[in-house]
Amino acid sequence: MSDAEVLFQITTDHLDTGLRGYPVGYCRTSKVDPYKGVSYVGYPITELARKEPIDIVHLMFFRELPTDEQRASLEADLRARRGIPADVLNTLSGLNRDGHPMAWLGTGLQLLGLSTRTGDWMEDALNLVARTPELVAAIFRVHSGLGAPIAPSSDKGLIEDFVHMLGIPGADEDKLAALLKVFYVLHVDHGGGNLSTFTGKAVASGHADIFTCMSAAMGALSGPLHGGANQACLEQLREVGTTDVDEVEAYVRNRLANKDKVFGFGHGVLRAEDPRATIQYELGKELCPDDEIFQTALAMRAAAVKVLSENPKISNPHPNVDAVSGSLLQAGGLSDANYYTNLFGLARITGIAAQIVDERVHARGGKGVPIYRPKYIAKDQAPRG
Ligand code: MLT
């Protein structure tokens, strides 16, 4: 027996519970405290929310906030890495437009890998961070039928450039960029065990290239119990159709009576309101206080917490990151909820890529974490029927 610290005693009660709470490794980019929420490299998210996205990219990959010089250098580096090969962009236009934009993102990442992978974890990770804004914007334009992709500009910041490449007619680009910068920072990372990050690292442990890992990670993100929840939340808010708290309460009770999920509330780790939600409620009060859907989100915050708290089996009745993000995005000019999870993915790719680099290049004294191989207990293996 080694003298390793016992972190968790596994009993048969823990089997088939989705690895909930099992310690499996170290995470050096972020930590999720059940009551305080996420911190990135020791900085609470509340301190980082209004920082420039490029600063958070630096924090993820280099474990420190950049000096002015470091920021300028990373900005120049990412700018030089931009550019998606024409064959990738051309292939997008042949994809099925009935398919979800997250399926397009998974496909686009694979295509990007086919054309541009180098095989060096850090190089490919930074290339991904630099090129994904153009890919996500191109998917938005081609999938929605808005028009051909728009090339990156020469002098804009990461998110300002992304907004430019979205090219939404009539959009207030400054307002949208201000909103998406906060959205990006809030969604970059959430500990080591969230499903998309875990999936990306698991695939990377078999030494698949990072584009393949990220494509798998985006598949994991796409489901409505993970990143797909921001789309589900906005659709739910539209269905509520009232800003009256009593009527919203009746809506929530009705959903529960029908055994429907109340999207945007609860979390696998958090046991209080997600500070990423709190930050967005405050942002909404600044940017779109009178917007009806945002008002509905505020009414949901009051009503759903009240109703869900009545059930002692619900360990966290509070809003999570997805509860309000869609209401801000639609108020900012992005009204089609089909694209919301791609925006989550755009941000989360940075955190996942940084964690993959960490596990592949730095962990275990540079040897890297071995291929994932958890144990399953054999049971009921007689032929069915
Ligand atoms: C996330 O940001 O990934 C979600 O809150 C889900 C999670 O942390 O498990």
Side-chain angles (χ1 to χ4, degrees):
M1 279 288 272
S2 83
D3 57 359
E5 191 185 349
V6 176
L7 295 172
F8 196 83
Q9 208 80 54
I10 296 176
T11 71
T12 47
D13 285 350
H14 296 106
L15 302 178
D16 284 345
T17 58
L19 289 171
R20 190 61 64 93
Y22 289 35
V24 293
Y26 296 100
C27 178
R28 294 167 188 82
T29 54
S30 65
K31 173 183 167 182
V32 182
D33 178 278
Y35 296 94
K36 295 188 204 141
V38 71
S39 50
Y40 297 166
V41 195
Y43 294 94
I45 193 68
T46 43
E47 278 180 34
L48 300 174
R50 302 293 176 117
K51 293 231 178 273
E52 286 296 320
I54 190 82
D55 290 5
I56 307 305
V57 175
H58 195 281
L59 186 59
M60 285 291 123
F61 283 97
F62 306 106
R63 309 285 186 270
E64 56 181 6
L65 286 168
T67 60
D68 290 347
E69 207 176 306
Q70 286 169 327
R71 179 185 305 115
S73 152
L74 180 60
E75 230 156 17
D77 180 32
L78 292 185
R79 207 166 273 152
R81 292 172 185 275
R82 289 179 317 179
I84 297 203
D87 63 297
V88 175
L89 295 177
N90 292 340
T91 310
L92 288 182
S93 56
L95 297 181
N96 181 352
R97 281 176 55 198
D98 291 336
H100 195 277
M102 279 301 280
W104 281 43
L105 180 56
T107 307
L109 288 164
Q110 288 277 9
L111 293 170
L112 201 53
L114 279 176
S115 299
T116 72
R117 71 170 157 235
T118 69
D120 179 283
W121 292 107
M122 184 67 164
E123 273 297 299
D124 282 343
L126 292 174
N127 286 342
L128 256 181
V129 172
R131 292 171 194 165
T132 308
E134 186 181 351
L135 178 62
V136 173
I139 288 172
F140 174 76
R141 291 186 61 77
V142 178
H143 185 277
S144 67
L146 201 55
I150 296 175
S153 72
S154 55
D155 56 352
K156 293 190 193 307
L158 197 70
I159 293 302
E160 289 84 348
D161 198 23
F162 175 64
V163 171
H164 153 77
M165 290 186 284
L166 288 176
I168 300 173
D172 178 341
E173 292 202 348
D174 291 342
K175 186 173 165 189
L176 187 54
L179 174 61
L180 285 178
K181 279 161 101 165
V182 179
F183 182 95
Y184 184 94
V185 171
L186 296 183
H187 287 81
V188 161
D189 209 30
H190 211 241
N194 68 80
L195 184 64
S196 48
T197 306
F198 184 75
T199 302
K201 290 186 295 188
V203 179
S205 77
H207 292 197
D209 69 76
I210 204 167
F211 296 89
T212 302
C213 304
M214 207 55 79
S215 176
M218 291 301 106
L221 188 71
S222 69
L225 298 191
H226 191 15
N230 60 9
Q231 172 175 355
C233 280
L234 200 266
E235 286 161 357
Q236 180 181 263
L237 289 175
R238 285 187 174 140
E239 189 183 89
V240 171
T242 172
T243 59
D244 179 276
V245 179
D246 292 337
E247 285 173 24
V248 177
E249 183 181 326
Y251 170 88
V252 174
R253 289 193 189 285
N254 193 37
R255 255 190 111 84
L256 292 177
N258 289 332
K259 303 220 175 324
D260 287 333
K261 186 170 166 48
V262 180
F263 288 105
F265 294 81
H267 193 273
V269 179
L270 299 171
R271 293 293 171 264
E273 180 167 295
D274 187 338
R276 299 174 299 173
T278 314
I279 290 163
Q280 292 181 86
Y281 287 122
E282 292 313 309
L283 187 63
K285 287 177 192 167
E286 276 171 41
L287 293 181
C288 53
D290 302 323
D291 180 88
E292 208 169 316
I293 294 285
F294 176 63
Q295 287 292 331
T296 308
L298 288 175
M300 268 302 264
R301 184 195 204 183
V305 173
K306 178 179 170 204
V307 175
L308 297 172
S309 300
E310 291 167 4
N311 182 348
K313 286 197 192 135
I314 296 180
S315 46
N316 174 14
H318 301 286
N320 59 44
V321 68
D322 304 304
V324 60
S325 60
S327 69
L328 304 190
L329 293 172
Q330 60 84 40
L334 279 166
S335 55
D336 191 341
N338 262 314
Y339 301 101
Y340 290 179
T341 310
N342 291 48
L343 301 175
F344 189 154
L346 169 65
R348 185 56 60 89
I349 277 170
T350 298
I352 299 174
Q355 290 201 33
I356 289 178
V357 170
D358 214 50
E359 282 210 356
R360 303 294 7 118
V361 181
H362 303 296
R364 293 166 63 99
K367 288 201 300 261
V369 173
I371 187 167
Y372 284 25
R373 186 55 174 97
K375 180 183 175 80
Y376 278 72
I377 312 285
K379 190 185 177 195
D380 298 342
Q381 303 201 349
R384 284 187 202 280

